[in-house]
Amino acid sequence: MKTATIIATTRRLASAAAAAGRPLGRCHGQQRHAQSGRPAGGRGAAAAAAAAPHSAVRVVAFREEEQSKGRKEDRKEGASATTTTPPFSAGGRPRSHVPPIRRGGTEPHLYREPKHLPPSPRSSTVALVLGGGESDRRLFPLTEKRALPAVPVGGSYRLIDIPLSNCLHSTINKIYVLTQYNSQSLNRYITRTYGFGDGVPLGGDGFVEVLATTQYPGGSRWPEGNADAVRLMSWVLENPKLRHVKHVLILPADQLYRANFEELITYHQNQRAVVTVVVHPAEESQVAELGVLQVDPDTSEMVDYLEKPRGPREREHFRLSGDLAQRLADGSPFLASCGIYVFEKQFLLRLLREHPRAHNFGADVLPLVPEAAAQERRRAEEQQQQQRQQQQQQQEQQRAGSGGRERMQADIPNRVLTWRLPGYWADVGSSLRTFMTANLECCLRGPGADNPFDQFAYHDLLLTGALALPPTDLVSCHIANSSISPGGRISGASITGSVVGPRAVIGHGVVIRNSVLMGADFYEEDLESELSKPGSAALELSGEAGGAPGGGGELPVPPMGIGAGSVVEGAVIDKNARIGRSCVIANRAGVWEAMDRVGVGLCVREGVPIVTKSAVLYDGTEL
């Protein structure tokens, strides 16, 4: 029907053209033979003779898949022979407004991708999560039996979940976790949570691997800091599989925040920076434990940096004035480094190679960055100047001489820039007091407050290991302003302003205030058979635990959890702890540091009472 309609339309146009005394058009063969003065012979002559009464040709402007159908309908109807014009006229312009269709497709090719797309953050970035080493004792005794990234936080999470979740939600799926000490627990957790199979899907060529520093023939020494650990593992970044990686994202594993690293990498790439430092506002009381920066307010370029300024004279140089404080730091007097950096890969490798005594990023590497970036900028300018001199055409030489300098000043490459991290940020690994305060702040903030664990404010969930646990059983409890993880059994307890981890067992009459309970890794029933065996490890340990009266070996081991009538106030209870009946875990004497009983699982650090992992405290134990 479409072919018949087109033929009828062209015949009407031919009649109108004949009345006006001019033909509608000629086929390509008629034009060629008319110019040569010879008639078209063979089949072309018959076609021209048949088309002469109508003085018209059919214009085909439909898809290629309909042409064969149209030819069959022409034969059936016995229509006069027609000649198809090419889609382009003699002048080279298309006769139809329909764009040409690529062979094999059914839609016009309206969009053409550029030849060189900018690399995406997913393909051009690898993340290095710094796991801390043996010298990092700031969270001891929580790190006595585990690496720092494996410390539980926020009830059901681990510290390693924070950087990994932010990376995966930002399409960065190539992640290495560098550990220097006691990485067995962390390795098991990452394998189960982010491994292949039932773990968190990473997509494509993504991976999450733990790199435990070790000695090898090329380097027979142990790392002396986080930057030194990256230096010893630099062979990983030189792997041919990572040849397309251009940016290295350095992340600490002891912070709480939410960040879009895709925006960070895009900003770093568009600004052609060599290093980008993530910053956050800081108060006067926080500066002693952080690194502070001086930033150019117009270009966001880092001007100066100092790690942990102690005296007021050192801080005064980095203090922001009233206008700058409001503009850059939301009224806070300082801008502090978050310990999150984006390096150009080759620049980072060369910097670590040229400065072998730079062991830590904050204290040693970052102060060297401005001068190294200036040298990189001068090297790049010399290379550009050599390329301009090699150009042969006068026009390009003039363009390089006139517009090149203006363009270089407007878009200066190889700079050290800063990027403001929005929202909440806390360095929970700086001290035990900060760790506990951040746990309570993040889990117990009200609606509308900035909270990285608030799943209603952030639609991208924090990823963690799958817990196939039932809801917590609550029987005759009084719970206020607290966070309760699944799998627990709480009967007749009073809990206020606290965080309770998974599988927590709390007896009748227990009072818990402003504390962090990390829960357990298993239930008591799972070990009943092992505990009942004579000579078991648990029974042998019971004689040395918790300061039991009369030697303690004759007393039975308390069950997993907190016994009836106990009081826990302002304390941190690590996993798998066994606390008997009528125990008191509270620092009522105001002791700041007490490590004399750490061998039996009880200590005080920075005024915080701590019950260590798998500790056993017998009935009536008091701190």
Side-chain angles (χ1 to χ4, degrees):
M1 295 297 295
K2 294 183 177 180
T3 305
T5 304
I6 292 177
I7 292 174
T9 304
T10 54
R11 287 177 176 175
R12 287 197 301 268
L13 294 175
S15 301
R22 52 185 177 84
L24 179 63
R26 290 183 176 181
C27 67
H28 183 66
Q30 290 175 333
Q31 292 179 356
R32 177 166 49 85
H33 291 290
Q35 293 175 359
S36 60
R38 294 177 298 173
R43 188 176 179 180
H54 303 285
S55 300
V57 294
R58 184 177 56 160
V59 179
V60 179
F62 48 86
R63 293 181 173 86
E64 290 179 353
E65 64 184 7
E66 298 178 359
Q67 291 182 359
S68 60
K69 186 186 298 182
R71 295 192 184 98
K72 293 180 181 179
E73 293 179 355
D74 290 344
R75 297 192 190 100
K76 292 181 181 179
E77 295 177 2
S80 58
T82 57
T83 304
T84 303
T85 58
F88 292 89
S89 62
R93 297 182 180 179
R95 292 184 180 273
S96 174
H97 66 280
V98 179
I101 301 172
R102 303 179 68 180
R103 186 171 298 277
T106 58
E107 294 295 335
H109 187 63
L110 301 179
Y111 173 74
R112 178 177 298 175
E113 295 183 354
K115 295 182 179 180
H116 302 286
L117 288 172
S120 63
R122 175 170 180 168
S123 62
S124 64
T125 306
V126 62
L128 300 181
V129 182
L130 308 178
E134 184 179 5
S135 60
D136 190 358
R137 313 284 286 180
R138 294 173 296 178
L139 293 187
F140 182 85
L142 301 182
T143 56
E144 181 182 10
K145 299 179 180 180
R146 60 169 74 93
L148 177 64
V151 174
V153 63
S156 302
Y157 305 96
R158 304 284 184 119
L159 282 176
I160 190 63
D161 292 330
I162 308 302
L164 295 187
S165 298
N166 285 289
C167 284
L168 295 178
H169 288 315
S170 303
T171 70
I172 298 174
N173 60 352
K174 301 179 185 65
I175 307 171
Y176 289 106
V177 182
L178 273 63
T179 60
Q180 308 171 43
Y181 173 74
N182 202 5
S183 60
Q184 186 269 341
S185 175
L186 176 64
N187 202 351
R188 182 179 67 249
Y189 176 77
I190 290 181
T191 302
R192 294 178 178 179
T193 306
Y194 301 95
F196 295 101
D198 297 333
V200 176
L202 304 178
D205 56 348
F207 58 84
V208 178
E209 296 183 6
V210 178
L211 296 179
T213 54
T214 182
Q215 296 182 356
Y216 57 95
S220 58
R221 64 180 181 86
W222 296 105
E224 302 180 25
N226 49 25
D228 200 24
V230 176
R231 181 185 293 107
L232 294 179
M233 290 294 175
S234 60
W235 56 270
V236 176
L237 299 178
E238 298 174 353
N239 192 328
K241 293 183 178 180
L242 300 179
R243 61 185 180 275
H244 299 298
V245 171
K246 297 183 178 180
H247 315 300
V248 179
L249 177 62
I250 305 294
L251 298 173
D254 56 355
Q255 298 179 357
L256 298 180
Y257 59 91
R258 283 294 187 102
N260 189 343
F261 291 139
E262 189 174 10
E263 294 182 358
L264 170 62
I265 300 299
T266 303
Y267 168 80
H268 173 88
Q269 183 174 318
N270 293 340
Q271 297 295 327
R272 303 171 63 191
V274 69
V275 179
T276 300
V277 183
V278 179
V279 298
H280 195 272
E283 300 297 334
E284 186 83 26
S285 58
Q286 302 174 330
V287 172
E289 300 296 332
L290 302 173
V292 292
L293 301 90
Q294 188 178 12
V295 180
D296 188 340
D298 298 326
T299 61
S300 298
E301 189 171 359
M302 188 183 77
V303 179
D304 198 1
Y305 176 83
L306 181 62
E307 179 75 8
K308 298 179 180 179
R310 298 296 181 181
R313 182 175 301 178
E314 296 177 346
R315 302 178 186 177
E316 198 64 29
H317 177 65
F318 297 89
R319 186 182 300 275
L320 300 176
S321 61
D323 296 339
L324 291 180
Q326 192 66 32
R327 177 181 172 184
L328 301 177
D330 296 337
S332 299
F334 296 96
L335 268 179
S337 171
C338 297
I340 303 175
Y341 318 105
V342 180
F343 283 87
E344 291 295 298
K345 185 178 73 170
Q346 298 301 330
F347 177 80
L348 175 63
L349 295 177
R350 182 165 55 254
L351 188 65
L352 295 178
R353 185 169 53 251
E354 294 177 355
H355 299 85
R357 295 184 178 275
H359 299 314
N360 292 282
F361 279 102
D364 304 324
V365 175
L366 205 57
L368 302 173
V369 165
E371 180 61 28
Q375 295 178 2
E376 187 74 14
R377 189 182 307 127
R378 288 192 293 267
R379 187 182 300 112
E381 291 177 354
E382 292 177 358
Q383 293 178 357
Q384 291 181 1
Q385 187 65 25
Q386 293 177 359
Q387 293 177 0
R388 291 171 186 167
Q389 293 177 357
Q390 294 175 359
Q391 294 177 354
Q392 301 297 328
Q393 300 180 359
Q394 185 67 25
Q395 181 180 359
E396 294 184 0
Q397 290 180 356
Q398 294 177 356
R399 184 181 306 152
S402 60
R405 296 190 183 93
E406 298 178 359
R407 186 167 56 253
M408 185 65 67
Q409 294 177 359
D411 186 14
I412 303 176
N414 302 319
R415 293 184 296 172
V416 182
L417 300 180
T418 59
W419 187 76
R420 166 74 183 277
L421 178 67
Y424 181 86
W425 176 82
D427 185 11
V428 298
S430 60
S431 63
L432 267 169
R433 173 64 64 178
T434 307
F435 172 81
M436 182 176 179
T437 303
N439 268 272
L440 299 180
E441 282 183 356
C442 290
C443 295
L444 308 180
R445 286 193 172 195
D450 194 1
N451 177 4
F453 295 105
D454 189 357
Q455 309 300 346
F456 295 96
Y458 297 95
H459 300 289
D460 294 334
L461 304 180
L462 280 178
L463 306 176
T464 186
L467 295 177
L469 298 175
T472 297
D473 294 335
L474 303 175
V475 180
S476 302
C477 300
H478 175 75
I479 301 177
N481 197 26
S482 299
S483 175
I484 310 297
S485 299
R489 304 171 186 172
I490 305 176
S491 176
S494 175
I495 304 176
T496 305
S498 301
V499 178
V500 180
R503 303 184 187 89
V505 180
I506 302 175
H508 184 77
V510 174
V511 178
I512 302 175
R513 304 188 189 95
N514 304 326
S515 300
V516 177
L517 281 66
M518 296 184 180
D521 293 324
F522 47 84
Y523 290 107
E524 182 71 21
E525 292 78 6
D526 299 336
L527 296 180
E528 281 184 354
S529 58
E530 295 294 333
L531 292 176
S532 61
K533 294 179 181 179
S536 65
L539 292 177
E540 293 176 358
L541 180 64
S542 63
E544 304 177 359
E554 301 176 356
L555 295 178
V557 177
M560 188 81 68
I562 302 177
S566 297
V567 177
V568 179
E569 185 174 354
V572 175
I573 311 299
D574 208 339
K575 284 195 169 187
N576 307 331
R578 299 171 180 269
I579 301 176
R581 298 170 177 264
S582 303
C583 295
V584 178
I585 312 298
N587 187 11
R588 296 176 177 175
V591 178
W592 181 254
E593 200 86 6
M595 303 295 292
D596 55 332
R597 302 174 66 183
V598 68
V600 297
L602 192 61
C603 65
V604 178
R605 286 206 61 191
E606 302 179 19
V608 179
I610 302 173
V611 177
T612 62
K613 185 177 182 180
S614 302
V616 179
L617 303 182
Y618 289 96
D619 296 349
T621 302
E622 295 186 6
L623 179 60

